[in-house]
Amino acid sequence: QPGDIDGVVRIETYEALRKETEKEYPMFRWAYLPYSMKMAGPREAIQHMIIRKNFGATHFIIGRDMAGTKSTITGDDFYGAYDAQETGKKFEAELGMKVTHYENMVYVDEETGYVEESVAKKTGKKVAKLSGTEFRRKLRAGEEIPEWFAFKSVVDILRKAGDSA
């Protein structure tokens, strides 16, 4: 999709993330799937579940708006934000895969860090926000990216890649 991160650059950022987190999470394993997104929303979530099952996975995280796309006419989201999650849960028994619940995480402050969005709302916490659009704008303008949003090593890779990112 136009504006997405190039595949080679994406892998470089994943490798940087692995290095940034390996001491804190040594048990975590990265699995790269050389696959171009089709932006097929819920159907693509099912396809990913099948592919991962074929690689031995038993659980699958479906993020908010997985493989979502916008109307080329109105700019509106084509799928609902949680359609892919709901579809995955609907077919998890048939596919023999467990869809793992994953709520949207938000950053509160340095002391609190990240919490589930529902927890922040329930406790009245003020959250810091940086949209993907604003992140890309700041990245291209050479402006500072907050460390709570992205590791410096990842930002450096994206800046080095420039428009190919």
Side-chain angles (χ1 to χ4, degrees), residues 65-132:
D65 196 29
M66 178 181 175
T69 191
K70 295 186 180 301
S71 165
T72 57
I73 298 168
T74 65
D76 294 334
D77 287 331
F78 193 77
Y79 304 106
Y82 297 99
D83 286 359
Q85 288 180 358
E86 290 166 12
T87 302
K89 287 177 185 174
K90 179 179 175 183
F91 292 102
E92 67 183 1
E94 181 179 342
L95 295 173
M97 291 282 285
K98 174 74 176 149
V99 174
T100 304
H101 175 73
Y102 183 79
E103 188 178 329
N104 195 37
M105 302 295 286
V106 294
Y107 184 78
V108 176
D109 55 38
E110 195 170 326
E111 183 181 320
T112 308
Y114 282 89
V115 298
E116 290 181 339
E117 189 171 30
S118 64
V119 171
K121 284 181 180 176
K122 190 184 297 181
T123 58
K125 300 277 187 192
K126 183 176 186 233
V127 300
K129 293 185 179 185
L130 182 62
S131 70

Side-chain angles (χ1 to χ4, degrees), residues 7 10 23 35 49 55 61 71-72 75 81 97 103 106 113 118 124 143 146 153 155:
R10 187 180 300 265
K23 287 188 176 123
Y35 172 89
M49 288 173 71
F55 279 96
I61 296 171
S71 165
T72 57
M97 291 282 285
E103 188 178 329
V106 294
S118 64
E143 295 176 17
S153 58
V155 171

Side-chain angles (χ1 to χ4, degrees), residues 6-26:
D6 173 76
V8 173
V9 175
R10 187 180 300 265
I11 295 295
E12 287 180 43
T13 63
Y14 291 167
E15 286 297 317
L17 280 170
R18 183 186 56 77
K19 289 176 187 165
E20 292 280 0
T21 60
E22 65 189 354
K23 287 188 176 123
E24 190 173 358
Y25 301 103

